[in-house]
Amino acid sequence: MPNTARATHLTRRGLLAAGGALGLGAALVACGGGKDDKGSAPAAEKSGPWKFTDDRDKAVELKAVPKNIVAFIGTAAALHDYGIEVKGVFGPTTVKDLKTGKDKADIQAGDLDVTKVKNLGNVWGTFNIEEYLKLEPELLVSAMWDKDVLWYLPPQSHDKIVKLAPTVALWAANTTMPKALARHAELAESLGADLKDKKTVAAKARFEKAAGRLRAAAKARPEIRVMIGSASAELFYVSLAKMSADTAYFEELGVKFVKPKVNAQGYFEELSWENLDKYPADVIMMDNRSQAIQPGDLKSKPTWAQLPAVKAGQVIPRFTEPIYSYDKCAVLLEDLAEAIENAKKVA
């Protein structure tokens, strides 16, 4: 989450959005036509009343299936994989390409064409309400890290925004990856997605196969310890696996994670760079979001280069805010399984 602004009080929402959140694991127009090269078949038009009960146990009922949808960028990317397109997005959507100086899609956009959606707020604390209203929104969808708080809506305008159109919130914490995937698929289906589409069926089968592979890898290599890390200029954050949907599931599958002594918020422990070697680890999963410092840019941190996992080349990316489609999550399981299968015991 963005490290350019801090909330005025350290709620979990604030930590997710501020620099400390770098350690977290932490905190529509449905159109016709042919298949998208990277997505499922475009959703069919649905008519009649629409109802969906979200993860707040809130039932949203509309006279017709919503077409003007605005969503958090990662949620929009997941819906896109099911053929559901949104009109607007908010959250990390574009970043500057350091080589060209031009904007390019943020990693959280997945396969979504960010040039075809209205970006209402690219950084934490921004959301253009005027432009939002111009879209004539029928539904706003976002992730939820705190109960009843829609992720990435600015704290100062959150309550105002959620009154402007019906909202749906889906858990990103207090759940596991399969449950989050099922809920996103359920929402997409309600909006017109065909879950029996060949590409969707194949993606789910790949995910299930990848889960079996990761379970087998963890069972075969119980000695391998994995650390979940995220870097900022001042601190290194070690996350607790059970607090995020992705790593909680990896742990269920048998992956052995480093267990940090987390702060009062419960998500992660902040380490100074001098104390980076506090937890022995054979594999390090590093936050790959644009807000976090990436491994290739940590050369100025001598303690980083001395870590056994770094010396052994056993550092892999972690998609800290997964795109909850089977297509995207299968890859995450495969990558971690491969890392554990090939890891040397170095810690």
Side-chain angles (χ1 to χ4, degrees):
M1 300 81 187
N3 57 8
T4 56
R6 281 195 175 269
T8 55
H9 57 288
L10 290 180
T11 60
R12 275 185 291 170
R13 177 179 60 192
L15 282 168
L16 277 163
L22 292 172
L24 264 186
L28 260 165
V29 177
C31 54
K35 286 181 178 290
D36 185 292
D37 288 341
K38 295 185 179 181
S40 295
E45 289 281 1
K46 292 185 69 175
S47 59
W50 181 80
K51 181 178 180 180
F52 185 82
T53 301
D54 73 359
D55 289 348
R56 299 169 294 184
D57 292 325
K58 178 180 178 181
V60 182
E61 298 185 53
L62 302 173
K63 293 181 179 180
V65 177
K67 296 180 179 180
N68 292 350
I69 298 177
V70 171
F72 172 66
I73 183 62
T75 309
L79 291 174
H80 169 78
D81 284 353
Y82 291 110
I84 304 297
E85 304 302 341
V86 305
K87 287 290 188 69
V89 297
F90 54 95
T93 302
T94 61
V95 294
K96 286 287 185 185
D97 188 315
L98 296 179
K99 293 182 179 179
T100 66
K102 297 180 179 180
D103 286 342
K104 64 177 182 179
D106 188 276
I107 192 168
Q108 294 192 61
D111 294 329
L112 184 67
D113 185 345
V114 298
T115 67
K116 294 182 178 180
V117 293
K118 184 66 178 179
N119 186 346
L120 299 172
N122 200 56
V123 297
W124 175 255
T126 63
F127 187 99
N128 192 321
I129 294 179
E130 183 179 343
E131 293 298 323
Y132 177 55
L133 291 173
K134 287 181 182 179
L135 295 175
E136 300 181 351
E138 297 172 294
L139 184 69
L140 184 146
V141 188
S142 190
M144 185 168 62
W145 291 85
D146 280 310
K147 182 68 173 175
D148 299 328
V149 178
L150 274 71
W151 177 232
Y152 237 90
L153 293 185
Q156 67 273 16
S157 55
H158 177 280
D159 293 346
K160 179 179 180 180
I161 294 169
V162 299
K163 293 177 181 178
L164 299 176
T167 61
V168 162
L170 297 177
W171 275 119
N174 300 312
T175 187
T176 64
M177 183 175 276
K179 292 179 181 178
L181 282 165
R183 292 293 283 150
H184 283 73
E186 184 181 348
L187 174 61
E189 184 176 36
S190 78
L191 295 169
D194 179 10
L195 299 188
K196 295 182 180 179
D197 173 72
K198 289 183 179 179
K199 197 159 190 175
T200 298
V201 171
K204 186 174 183 180
R206 180 183 175 186
F207 174 83
E208 292 169 347
K209 182 179 179 181
R213 178 183 175 184
L214 181 56
R215 187 188 298 275
K219 184 177 181 180
R221 304 295 308 279
E223 76 280 12
I224 299 299
R225 289 294 182 273
V226 180
M227 182 165 67
I228 309 164
S230 187
S232 72
E234 297 80 19
L235 296 169
F236 187 88
Y237 303 89
V238 181
S239 291
L240 188 61
K242 71 177 183 178
M243 297 302 289
S244 297
D246 58 332
T247 48
Y249 182 51
F250 302 158
E251 195 166 47
E252 283 184 9
L253 293 175
V255 177
K256 303 298 189 299
F257 285 101
V258 165
K259 297 185 183 299
K261 296 179 180 179
V262 296
N263 60 21
Q265 301 299 325
Y267 282 95
F268 51 81
E269 178 180 0
E270 303 98 329
L271 297 179
S272 66
W273 284 99
E274 291 76 15
N275 295 319
L276 195 57
D277 60 354
K278 180 176 180 179
Y279 297 108
D282 304 291
V283 174
I284 302 175
M285 299 177 68
M286 286 292 288
D287 186 349
N288 71 345
R289 292 169 301 170
S290 56
Q291 300 93 333
I293 299 177
Q294 298 306 302
D297 297 319
L298 291 174
K299 296 177 182 178
S300 63
K301 306 293 185 182
T303 50
W304 168 257
Q306 295 304 311
L307 292 178
V310 175
K311 287 183 175 181
Q314 295 175 178
V315 179
I316 64 171
R318 182 207 171 194
F319 208 117
T320 305
E321 293 182 61
I323 295 171
Y324 284 113
S325 70
Y326 291 104
D327 179 70
K328 298 299 182 291
C329 287
V331 179
L332 308 185
L333 292 166
E334 292 167 348
D335 289 349
L336 181 55
E338 181 177 7
I340 292 174
E341 289 165 353
N342 298 328
K344 299 176 182 178
K345 180 64 182 175
V346 294

